[in-house]
Amino acid sequence: MNGSEDLIARTRSGDQEAFRLVFERYSRPVLGFIFEMVSQRDIAEELTQETFVRAYHNLKHLRDDSKFSTWLFGIGRNVAHEWLRSRRRENLTCTQDIDSIQQEHTGTIDSPMARLLGNELNLAMETALQALDEEKRVVFFLKVLQQRSYQEIAEITGFSLAKVKTELHRARLEMRRRLRLYLEMK
Amino acid sequence: MRCDDCQLIIEGYFDGELKESTALRVRRHLDGCPSCSRLLQNLTAEHAVYVASRSEILIRPDLWSGVRSRLTSEQQPEPLGALERPQTWLSSAFVLPRISGLTAVALVIVAVGMTMLLMRYLDRSLGDRRLTSVSESAPKAASAMPEGQAVPEPEPLVAGPRRSPEAKQNTGTKTTNESIVAGSKLKRPSRRFETIGKTKTPEQLVREAEQKYLTAIAMLSRTVERKRARLDLATLTKLEQALASIDRTIADTRKAVRQHPDDPVAVQFMLTAYAKKVDVLREMVDY
């Protein structure tokens, strides 16, 4: 049996192979989530590793194994926030304007997402996402691209349910406005 | 239900977040309202575009090995983390006194000294390994050589006193066996290791050198930070670009060192990247 809850129980009892399976299952969405926050692939990978290391060490504090995924994303969010804060202290924030993102996606600069996303719509989507402020981007990503419930998003982000709904609504409006041309074509 | 009410909660309906009774009322309204139905269709179409336009992010195979090695290493005290926890940085910011650029330079010199010492050892260690492998393969090579022909002497891998041409001439006719003996004489990594650091492992030395660089970088960064307001925009942009590029290199090389802690080339690259960052920051301090 390799259900998440079973894997978590096995990990808790020291089975590292079980944790590897947990990693296989969740590393992709966690990496995607952290990438949305930090916008740099190599940093997102390091932070994803940090997230799983912390999760492993703190598994004993997880009360409800069925909420592992939400708990893990919460750790990922904290890890990414800590990194963002440390960057801000160095006055080297990773917030990018649209021009710089577009420049990245032209392929002249090291652009991890450009390697992953191929066509114009991908680029437009990523540009529009990056143009959202962090709270909207995270909520939008978790709801639309990760299919999380409002309640789960609230638990991951620490926002109230009302704030989740508001941010999601505003994010959708902004995305619609930015991608209007593409959406109309479809 | 009126259109206004429906439009307020139609996203919740689309997201499946409404209570069953409310969802039923919305559904009934939609059945009889083309305008609100179109809204729902638009939401559905948008969602399809968003989902379709996102490629699955790829996971590099070595990502797990990084986690595993960290789990293993962090069981020991004071791990060499890929990522210094921000709390550590924060606490060090308060603990470290604000000291002059001269002290930072002194620290850099210490770090560079340690690096050179370490590199010298690692080079020797690598050289010994190569010599060992050469000496192991020598008999095979010698057997392939015509009888009486000398085996070419390997180029010295470690800087040391060079032999005179006469001495070389004398050794030019040395037999294969003598070469093997010479190789075995050089093969003393453990003793050299002991003389460099009686109680320190290469990993500890690397860690210490890295720590010195990080301390110097932290101090120089603070000085640069204070100067930042006086810098013109073009210089500031160049500085940030250079630092961002070096930071990427540092991250990459640290990753490589974590994956191959015994690879002296990886260690050398990593420490060079740190040294580069120190250089850039020092230039900015002197600017």
Side-chain angles (χ1 to χ4, degrees):
Chain A
M1 194 172 99
N2 272 341
S4 288
E5 290 176 41
D6 174 54
L7 290 175
I8 289 153
R10 280 166 52 195
T11 303
R12 205 179 271 123
S13 62
D15 181 350
Q16 239 187 47
E17 174 59 16
F19 191 58
R20 189 187 64 76
L21 295 172
V22 170
F23 180 84
E24 265 185 19
R25 191 166 294 183
Y26 293 105
S27 55
R28 189 170 296 191
V30 169
L31 175 61
F33 174 59
I34 292 177
F35 179 81
E36 288 307 330
M37 293 181 74
V38 303
S39 310
Q40 293 178 55
R41 171 72 190 234
D42 54 345
I43 298 295
E45 285 180 344
E46 285 220 20
L47 298 177
T48 300
Q49 289 181 327
E50 173 71 12
T51 299
F52 278 91
V53 169
R54 283 197 201 177
Y56 184 84
H57 288 316
N58 290 291
L59 210 50
K60 55 184 175 291
H61 300 305
L62 174 63
R63 290 178 193 162
D64 183 354
D65 288 1
S66 67
K67 293 204 164 180
F68 173 76
S69 164
T70 305
W71 178 75
L72 182 68
F73 271 74
I75 294 175
R77 176 183 174 272
N78 289 341
V79 167
H81 259 187
E82 284 170 10
W83 183 83
L84 288 168
R85 274 201 297 270
S86 72
R87 291 279 288 183
R88 282 186 196 118
R89 270 204 301 278
E90 291 172 27
N91 206 8
L92 290 166
T93 67
C94 79
T95 30
Q96 296 168 288
D97 55 37
I98 293 177
D99 288 344
S100 70
I101 293 164
Q102 281 172 336
Q103 193 184 13
E104 273 202 7
H105 284 274
T106 58
T108 52
I109 299 174
D110 180 29
S111 52
M113 283 309 284
R115 290 199 295 271
L116 300 175
L117 308 177
N119 60 39
E120 196 184 336
L121 177 58
N122 295 151
L123 171 59
M125 170 81 175
E126 188 56 35
T127 308
L129 255 178
Q130 291 294 330
L132 296 177
D133 68 45
E134 189 195 314
E135 293 181 346
K136 289 188 188 67
R137 188 165 67 242
V138 166
V139 170
F140 183 88
F141 177 84
L142 288 171
K143 180 67 222 173
V144 177
L145 303 171
Q146 294 277 320
Q147 325 290 330
R148 297 279 172 172
S149 69
Y150 292 173
Q151 183 60 39
E152 284 175 324
I153 297 170
E155 286 171 17
I156 290 169
T157 57
F159 300 158
S160 66
L161 269 177
K163 184 173 171 66
V164 169
K165 289 179 197 171
T166 308
E167 294 297 334
L168 180 61
H169 176 67
R170 288 177 181 165
R172 276 179 164 141
L173 285 178
E174 274 193 48
M175 291 296 282
R176 196 173 297 149
R177 183 171 58 77
R178 290 176 197 279
L179 296 173
R180 186 167 42 86
L181 285 174
Y182 299 93
L183 295 172
E184 283 172 359
M185 275 193 292
K186 296 273 168 180
Chain B
M1 181 180 276
R2 296 184 315 174
C3 286
D4 289 349
D5 298 329
C6 179
Q7 285 163 18
L8 275 176
I9 55 175
I10 197 161
E11 282 184 21
Y13 175 78
F14 174 73
D15 289 332
E17 295 278 352
L18 298 184
K19 284 182 201 163
E20 188 50 42
S21 56
T22 315
L24 189 65
R25 285 170 52 215
V26 173
R27 207 172 301 136
R28 281 183 189 147
H29 175 81
L30 290 171
D31 285 344
C33 177
S35 163
C36 291
S37 283
R38 203 172 307 116
L39 272 180
L40 182 65
Q41 281 169 9
N42 287 344
L43 268 174
T44 311
E46 273 174 29
H47 185 81
V49 170
Y50 297 146
V51 173
S53 67
R54 289 286 294 190
S55 303
E56 276 291 318
I57 201 159
L58 301 172
I59 295 289
R60 289 208 325 242
D62 62 344
L63 211 59
W64 164 250
S65 53
V67 172
R68 191 182 50 200
S69 63
R70 283 195 56 194
L71 290 179
T72 310
S73 67
E74 285 185 9
Q75 282 166 358
Q76 297 159 2
E78 203 187 350
L80 175 65
L83 194 77
E84 269 64 28
R85 290 190 176 185
Q87 297 98 305
T88 315
W89 279 103
L90 191 64
S91 59
S92 66
F94 287 112
V95 171
L96 283 171
R98 286 187 177 273
I99 56 175
S100 67
L102 273 175
T103 317
V105 168
L107 265 166
V108 171
I109 291 168
V110 172
V112 169
M114 286 186 67
T115 306
M116 285 173 67
L117 197 66
L118 184 66
M119 285 304 108
R120 204 170 153 200
Y121 167 69
L122 288 171
D123 279 350
R124 281 184 184 178
S125 177
L126 181 67
D128 289 348
R129 263 189 274 161
R130 283 184 189 157
L131 282 172
T132 309
S133 66
V134 166
S135 66
E136 280 165 0
S137 61
K140 287 178 196 167
S143 65
M145 297 287 279
E147 255 188 56
Q149 194 171 332
V151 176
E153 189 180 354
E155 282 292 313
L157 293 168
V158 182
R162 286 185 176 273
R163 276 182 275 189
S164 66
E166 295 81 25
K168 272 196 174 180
Q169 269 182 351
N170 290 338
T171 57
T173 53
K174 277 189 177 176
T175 62
T176 307
N177 287 341
E178 281 171 320
S179 297
I180 295 167
V181 171
S184 66
K185 276 180 186 168
L186 284 168
K187 190 185 161 188
R188 283 179 196 161
S190 56
R191 285 192 189 171
R192 289 212 178 99
F193 190 84
E194 283 163 14
T195 52
I196 286 181
K198 282 186 180 170
T199 54
K200 286 176 182 171
T201 64
E203 263 179 84
Q204 284 172 320
L205 286 169
V206 171
R207 198 177 299 176
E208 278 181 22
E210 194 181 17
Q211 199 54 52
K212 296 273 187 247
Y213 273 123
L214 287 172
T215 310
I217 286 167
M219 285 187 287
L220 288 166
S221 296
R222 278 201 292 275
T223 312
V224 169
E225 197 60 38
R226 285 197 293 275
K227 283 194 163 189
R228 184 177 283 271
R230 281 177 270 158
L231 298 174
D232 60 273
L233 192 62
T235 313
L236 200 58
T237 310
K238 274 185 192 168
L239 169 70
E240 293 193 350
Q241 280 173 350
L243 290 178
S245 166
I246 296 170
D247 283 341
R248 276 199 297 274
T249 310
I250 289 175
D252 289 344
T253 51
R254 289 179 79 182
K255 208 176 283 178
V257 170
R258 279 200 311 282
Q259 283 160 8
H260 309 285
D262 298 328
D263 184 354
V265 178
V267 172
Q268 197 160 9
F269 273 117
M270 182 185 78
L271 294 177
T272 306
Y274 278 122
K276 186 72 191 165
K277 183 161 184 178
V278 168
D279 283 347
V280 170
L281 289 170
R282 278 176 63 189
E283 269 183 42
M284 292 317 298
V285 169
D286 299 337
Y287 186 74

